[in-house]
Amino acid sequence: MIGDGRSVALVRVDGAIDWLCWPKFDSPSVFGAILDAERGGLTAVTPAQASFESLQRYDPDTNVLETLFTVPGQGTIRLTDFMPWNNDPRAAIHEIHRRIECLEGRVELDVVFDPRFGFGVETARFEQNEHGVLAHSPSGERLAAIVDDGASWVPRPRGGLTMRLSLTSGQRRWMVLSWDSVAPEPVHAYRPFEQLRSTRKAWRQWSARLAYDGPHRHHVLRSALCLKLLIYSPTGAMVAAPTTSLPEWIGNSRNWDYRYTWARDAALAIRAANLLGFTAEARDFFHFIRDTIDPKDGLQVMYSVDGGPVPEERILPHLKGYRGSLPVRVGNGAKDQIQLDTAGALVDAAHLFEHFGGSLTLRAWRKIQHVIEKVSHQWRDPDHGIWEPRAGKRHNVHSKMMCWLALDRGAGIASVFGATDAREAWESAAAAVVDEVCARGLDSEGRHFVAAYGHDHADAALLLLPIHGFLPDDHPLMHETVDWVRKELGTGPFVHRYRTDDGVGGAEGAFVLCGFWLAEALALQGRLEEAQEIFAAHAESSNHLGLLAEEVDPTTREQLGNFPQAFSHLGLINAALRIDLGLRLRDEGTGKTPHLIRDAPRLSRP
């Protein structure tokens, strides 16, 4: 993945870019071959010889990608891919720069330019000049492709254009893709050398802010760099993933559009960013959530990256789907669900914002107060829950716990603004939630919590009860619930969300975030060796670049679902921090439980 704070491109190990939505994450795709090799479109720089080996890595501490091709009998090529980036939300220029270097021998390469606008519906019209080619869509988009000192572009039988490059040792070429160009200019006009230098420098300066030096620093930094690419810089919104319809099980129908921002990601993102030293990102994401709350309609489940409504879910029947996994969807129907846990994430985010040095304005407080007040009247209602099933509503224990979190954290914030009556009312309501959940949310023998009132099955979201401190750490229900969830939903070190019918049908993989929750919960219980084993299994289930999808096949370790997934990387960061703190406390012999920020003092101001 490479990106510029507006969108990202996915680069295959063979040098093909097969996914890119421009100019924003939730725009229609320009290159979408990952969902349909024939109709999706791609651009590529690939050795012409069919047999070659390739290796990929990120330039250390950056999101500049390097692919090394070794071509038997010819030589070695290094392809460097990046989107110019300088951490200025106003400066994105919507370009991809590809440096092609021959390190040894003489290598022939095929360069392909085959954009398919509008998710592959719109056929491009090409216009060439001496510098490059400009692709026009019927609806008015333009995309230029420029190769310095390259051969002429010729039509490709399967669509688009292609050219053949031949490079000898020491030779270098640049390819630049530029969105919304009026006409292609010479490569040097795009200043690729300067852009590469400044992009590397900006990423390394950003990475140097990392405040974590524990044993998992490599995984944590790569996760932080990944998450930074998933932030839409003009608003601070973080998309759940930059892709749509990558299946949760190959050949199945669990294919969703994740190119939007979920309000519940707020607490995880703000917690992780603050603890890692990236306070500006934490602030921007909180401000995005704060500013998008409508005083009348309240908090929504998800938003577009601009803060507007998410489009209605629809199917794209002309696309074959990733490895035949249908249907391909855009938009997301879960936006209209009732998910009561979302309020807890928001209020916890506001609590963390204040705890780490922010200052809520009175206007923000009024919005949050409205959300909490709504929770105080709705927490007894059933909802769809965190996993967005399509089998109706129920009394989800996790949702009740998150309502408690909203009321509990809200009572603390109320003290800051002198709202004594609200504080007392919310504290009382929070206690009522605990009493009801402990009375109605247990199994028939009262040993552990269950997924929902009147149900007897497990839900991995129950692992958040000890993480959020719903009951004291030494309460037997906490230990029993963690062990039971692990037993019921575990496959080796991996954890499924649930094993019940959710109205969608079909199998799915183990959920990566849930595995990191398990690692956190075990660390809280002082079971650090077990926590480290679980953490390592999930961190190592990433691809060769350290990127994690939403799910993983627990048998083959194949990644499943949209990719890369913000939830997974946020879970990795929080679990790594929890385990590291637990190890340090154990070494110091304090015997304390490794809380990160949960037990911070009540908020107060002079």
Side-chain angles (χ1 to χ4, degrees):
M1 177 173 66
I2 56 174
D4 63 358
R6 295 292 207 287
S7 187
V8 304
L10 299 185
V11 186
R12 294 195 315 223
V13 293
D14 65 354
I17 295 176
D18 62 359
W19 182 253
L20 172 65
C21 297
W22 249 350
K24 302 186 300 180
F25 288 103
D26 52 5
S27 298
S29 66
V30 179
F31 303 124
I34 196 170
L35 295 178
D36 190 320
E38 294 179 4
R39 300 197 63 170
L42 56 69
T43 186
V45 176
T46 305
Q49 182 170 304
S51 61
F52 60 87
E53 294 181 354
S54 65
L55 297 171
Q56 277 186 326
R57 70 157 196 164
Y58 280 112
D59 198 352
D61 300 342
T62 78
N63 279 313
V64 175
L65 181 67
E66 295 181 352
T67 306
L68 190 71
F69 298 115
T70 301
V71 185
Q74 291 192 13
T76 305
I77 291 286
R78 178 166 58 201
L79 176 64
T80 303
D81 285 312
F82 68 97
M83 296 171 78
W85 187 84
N86 62 5
N87 206 26
D88 183 347
R90 298 164 297 180
I93 56 178
H94 305 306
E95 292 176 359
I96 293 176
H97 291 224
R98 318 195 77 182
R99 187 174 72 177
I100 312 159
E101 303 172 273
C102 185
L103 303 182
E104 61 180 10
R106 180 178 180 277
V107 182
E108 291 192 333
L109 300 130
D110 286 330
V111 180
V112 175
F113 179 57
D114 184 15
R116 307 287 181 93
F117 299 95
F119 295 112
V121 172
E122 300 181 8
T123 302
R125 175 178 62 85
F126 297 104
E127 175 187 337
Q128 295 193 52
N129 66 19
E130 68 273 24
H131 303 305
V133 60
L134 185 64
H136 298 264
S137 80
S139 54
E141 288 93 353
R142 299 183 299 268
L143 177 61
I146 307 95
V147 178
D148 64 335
D149 299 325
S152 298
W153 294 98
V154 297
R156 184 167 167 258
R158 289 175 291 174
L161 303 174
T162 186
M163 70 165 59
R164 176 67 59 88
L165 290 181
S166 181
L167 275 68
T168 59
S169 181
Q171 284 189 313
R172 176 183 296 160
R173 297 286 184 270
W174 284 91
M175 179 180 185
V176 177
L177 303 176
S178 181
W179 176 259
D180 206 28
S181 294
V182 176
E185 302 286 346
V187 160
H188 63 75
Y190 295 88
R191 308 170 71 183
F193 286 102
E194 295 176 40
Q195 295 285 6
L196 177 56
R197 183 179 295 274
S198 63
T199 296
R200 278 177 170 154
K201 180 180 179 181
W203 278 122
R204 287 171 179 156
Q205 288 176 337
W206 187 86
S207 296
R209 292 161 47 197
L210 181 70
Y212 170 83
D213 59 358
H216 304 294
R217 189 180 187 279
H218 170 75
H219 290 298
V220 169
L221 178 57
R222 180 45 54 195
S223 290
L225 285 162
C226 169
L227 292 170
K228 181 63 175 174
L229 283 185
L230 298 182
I231 295 174
Y232 183 67
S233 59
T235 62
M238 178 184 289
V239 296
T243 56
T244 180
S245 301
L246 296 186
E248 296 171 9
W249 197 262
I250 304 301
N252 213 326
S253 61
R254 292 178 176 271
N255 315 316
W256 317 108
D257 190 352
Y258 279 9
R259 299 171 301 139
Y260 312 107
T261 183
W262 269 251
R264 72 165 54 88
D265 293 0
L268 269 176
I270 291 170
R271 172 182 299 197
N274 276 309
L275 289 171
L276 294 179
F278 300 118
T279 54
E281 287 73 19
R283 177 201 63 215
D284 291 346
F285 193 50
F286 175 72
H287 285 168
F288 169 77
I289 297 297
R290 177 201 66 188
D291 295 342
T292 51
I293 298 174
D294 186 286
K296 180 181 178 181
D297 298 331
L299 183 65
Q300 304 300 306
V301 171
M302 65 184 83
Y303 299 91
S304 71
V305 293
D306 289 328
V310 170
E312 295 293 332
E313 184 173 296
R314 61 190 178 93
I315 291 173
L316 303 181
H318 63 284
L319 296 179
K320 296 179 179 179
Y322 179 83
R323 291 169 59 183
S325 302
L326 293 174
V328 173
R329 294 182 171 95
V330 294
N332 199 303
K335 68 187 182 68
D336 297 321
Q337 289 188 353
I338 304 298
Q339 299 179 16
L340 297 179
D341 66 293
T342 301
L346 167 71
V347 182
D348 193 38
H351 167 86
L352 298 176
F353 179 75
E354 281 271 349
H355 175 72
F356 282 103
S359 182
L360 291 171
T361 64
L362 181 60
R363 180 177 296 180
W365 159 243
R366 294 300 185 203
K367 287 186 174 183
I368 294 168
Q369 184 180 25
H370 175 73
V371 171
I372 302 169
E373 195 60 34
K374 195 171 181 179
V375 170
S376 71
H377 294 96
Q378 289 186 328
W379 70 265
R380 288 186 173 87
D381 297 341
D383 78 328
H384 292 94
I386 184 174
W387 302 128
E388 302 179 348
R390 305 202 173 186
K393 296 180 286 187
R394 63 189 186 189
H395 290 281
N396 293 287
V397 168
H398 167 260
S399 296
K400 307 293 185 187
M401 183 272 294
M402 293 299 287
C403 289
W404 164 84
L405 189 69
L407 295 162
D408 179 78
R409 301 296 192 261
I413 300 172
S415 300
V416 172
F417 289 91
T420 304
D421 291 345
R423 177 182 62 80
E424 292 176 352
W426 295 341
E427 285 179 344
S428 177
V433 175
V434 174
D435 289 344
E436 180 179 294
V437 172
C438 288
R440 301 182 61 191
L442 302 179
D443 69 304
S444 58
E445 299 181 9
R447 295 173 302 176
H448 52 72
F449 290 103
V450 292
Y453 296 173
H455 291 252
D456 60 359
H457 61 270
D459 177 359
L462 296 172
L463 295 169
L464 287 172
L465 270 68
I467 291 172
H468 286 305
F470 185 70
L471 292 176
D473 294 316
D474 57 356
H475 198 291
L477 284 173
M478 294 291 92
H479 288 261
E480 289 290 339
T481 299
V482 170
D483 287 342
W484 179 68
V485 168
R486 187 179 184 183
K487 175 178 174 291
E488 292 292 311
L489 301 181
T491 300
F494 299 101
V495 181
H496 292 265
R497 295 184 293 177
Y498 45 78
R499 296 188 188 274
T500 55
D501 181 18
D502 58 5
V504 179
E508 66 173 348
F511 209 80
V512 175
L513 175 63
C514 298
F516 286 124
W517 284 346
L518 175 60
E520 270 203 84
L522 292 171
L524 270 170
Q525 295 177 1
R527 300 156 67 177
L528 293 171
E529 283 73 21
E530 294 176 72
Q532 290 184 91
E533 290 177 4
I534 298 295
F535 178 90
H538 286 77
E540 292 168 5
S541 71
S542 65
N543 75 349
H544 57 288
L545 293 169
L547 300 177
L548 291 159
E550 180 184 25
E551 298 184 3
V552 60
D553 184 329
T555 302
T556 66
R557 307 294 175 97
E558 179 180 13
Q559 297 209 68
L560 300 167
N562 283 306
F563 170 90
Q565 181 82 3
F567 244 178
S568 300
H569 286 280
L570 288 167
L572 182 150
I573 289 170
N574 283 306
L577 293 169
R578 182 87 64 178
I579 292 169
D580 183 45
L581 179 57
L583 292 171
R584 285 190 281 123
L585 292 174
R586 185 179 66 180
D587 292 344
E588 294 169 3
T590 63
K592 294 180 180 179
T593 303
H595 295 310
L596 294 172
I597 49 181
R598 201 191 71 198
D599 293 332
R602 283 289 189 197
L603 307 177
S604 61
R605 290 180 186 156

